């Protein structure tokens, strides 16, 4: 795929129509199709000390990523931390991570690129491009990969923020629903027992503790029973 076409396709993705996981897979797929010399691509994400492969175009890329996570060292982790580009042009002479490079050669990878993706303060990552031969990525190919990664980082950051905002919005809606049903249950108890709102909530809390259920579940059951009695 022409790199300009890949970037145009990436820019057309609507965040309200695609999940974060799908967005990550789309980034890996487009990179694999647009970077000359690429055979497989993965996206590493790192939060704190934990790294994981959020998307990959094949098992080979995932396996090589996971070996780095197990050893807590390797090009994708270093690129994630630095935000820069780490190129391994020839696995046969690689001295920084010799054991990992040997494994890469064993599974048919001769070279790789890892390009940092500074997504946000708490989460960083890297775009990992694997080539089947040594020196698979000439300078123009490296430039394409870096250019693509720059656009991908912005898209991923926006997707991450959108996903976080959507999750927060759902949590707020759930909290409002819980509060509404609890207030209904308190009203029922206050009407039946002629007690204060605090006393009604204290009773709900005691039932919650005694039955090992959430206050909201206790409140929903009470409201449902009263509604059923009213229908009868």
């Amino acid at each position: 795929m022409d790199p300009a076409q890949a970037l145009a396709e990436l820019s057309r993705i609507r965040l309200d129509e695609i999940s974060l996981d799908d967005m990550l897979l789309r980034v890996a797929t487009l990179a694999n199709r647009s970077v000359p010399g690429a055979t497989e691509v993965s996206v590493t994400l790192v939060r704190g000390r934990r790294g994981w492969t959020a998307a990959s175009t094949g098992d080979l890329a995932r396996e090589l990523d996971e070996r780095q996570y197990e050893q807590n060292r390797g090009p994708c982790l270093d690129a994630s931390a630095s935000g820069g580009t780490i190129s391994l042009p020839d696995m046969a002479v690689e001295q920084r991570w010799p054991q990992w490079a040997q494994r890469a050669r064993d599974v048919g990878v001769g070279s790789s690129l890892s390009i940092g993706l500074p997504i946000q303060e708490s989460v960083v990552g890297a775009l990992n491009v694997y080539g089947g031969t040594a020196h698979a990525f000439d300078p123009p190919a490296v430039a394409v990969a870096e250019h693509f990664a720059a656009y991908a980082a912005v898209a991923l950051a926006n997707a991450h923020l959108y996903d976080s905002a959507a999750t927060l919005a759902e949590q707020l809606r759930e909290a409002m629903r819980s509060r509404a049903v609890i207030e209904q249950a308190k009203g029922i108890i206050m009407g039946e027992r002629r007690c204060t709102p605090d006393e009604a909530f204290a009773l709900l809390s005691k039932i919650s503790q005694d039955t090992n259920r959430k206050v909201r579940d206790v409140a929903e059951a009470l409201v449902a029973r009263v509604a059923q009695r009213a229908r009868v």
Side-chain angles (χ1 to χ4, degrees):
M1 174 180 272
D2 180 80
Q5 184 182 351
L7 293 172
E9 185 172 332
L10 189 63
S11 68
R12 288 194 295 269
I13 297 174
R14 291 187 53 175
L15 300 182
D16 58 344
E17 296 178 350
I18 188 171
S19 69
L20 180 57
D21 288 341
D22 288 340
M23 177 67 182
L24 292 166
L25 181 57
R26 188 76 62 85
V27 166
T29 301
L30 288 174
N32 195 37
R33 295 171 62 190
S34 62
V35 177
T39 56
E40 288 194 17
V41 172
S42 66
V43 177
T44 290
L45 294 182
V46 180
R47 184 189 297 272
R49 291 180 171 272
R50 178 174 172 262
W52 71 98
T53 297
S56 69
T57 60
D59 293 336
L60 183 151
R62 186 176 294 275
E63 178 192 340
L64 291 178
D65 289 353
E66 289 177 351
R67 281 183 173 267
Q68 297 179 60
Y69 310 146
E70 291 170 2
Q71 299 172 359
N72 198 31
R73 62 193 303 269
C76 75
L77 294 177
D78 280 20
S80 297
S82 68
T85 297
I86 295 181
S87 174
L88 280 67
D90 188 349
M91 294 294 180
V93 296
E94 175 56 45
Q95 297 298 315
R96 289 167 292 183
W97 305 281
Q99 291 182 340
W100 180 83
Q102 180 60 55
R103 179 55 186 168
R105 291 174 62 200
D106 291 343
V107 296
V109 171
S111 53
S112 72
L113 292 172
S114 289
I115 305 167
L117 300 173
I119 300 170
Q120 59 162 296
E121 290 184 1
S122 61
V123 180
V124 294
L127 183 71
N128 308 303
V129 187
Y130 295 101
T133 63
H135 305 287
F137 310 111
D138 58 15
V142 175
V144 169
E146 291 177 334
H147 192 53
F148 184 90
Y151 278 81
V154 173
L156 287 172
N158 289 338
H160 191 279
L161 289 173
Y162 182 88
D163 187 69
S164 299
T167 300
L168 177 59
E170 179 55 34
Q171 291 173 343
L172 291 174
R173 285 193 292 269
E174 184 66 19
M176 293 300 294
R177 287 193 290 267
S178 296
R179 180 172 180 176
V181 74
I182 290 172
E183 289 300 319
Q184 284 181 287
K186 284 169 56 178
I188 292 170
I189 295 172
M190 290 166 61
E192 291 179 348
R193 294 180 173 253
R194 300 292 190 272
C195 63
T196 66
D198 288 343
E199 291 170 336
F201 185 76
L203 179 59
L204 285 173
S205 298
K206 185 176 187 307
I207 297 173
S208 170
Q209 293 174 357
D210 292 345
T211 60
N212 195 29
R213 291 185 295 168
K214 294 180 180 179
V215 172
R216 172 184 170 167
D217 293 339
V218 173
E220 284 182 337
L222 175 58
V223 171
R225 284 198 301 270
V226 171
Q228 186 174 6
R229 288 203 305 265
R231 287 194 294 268
V232 173

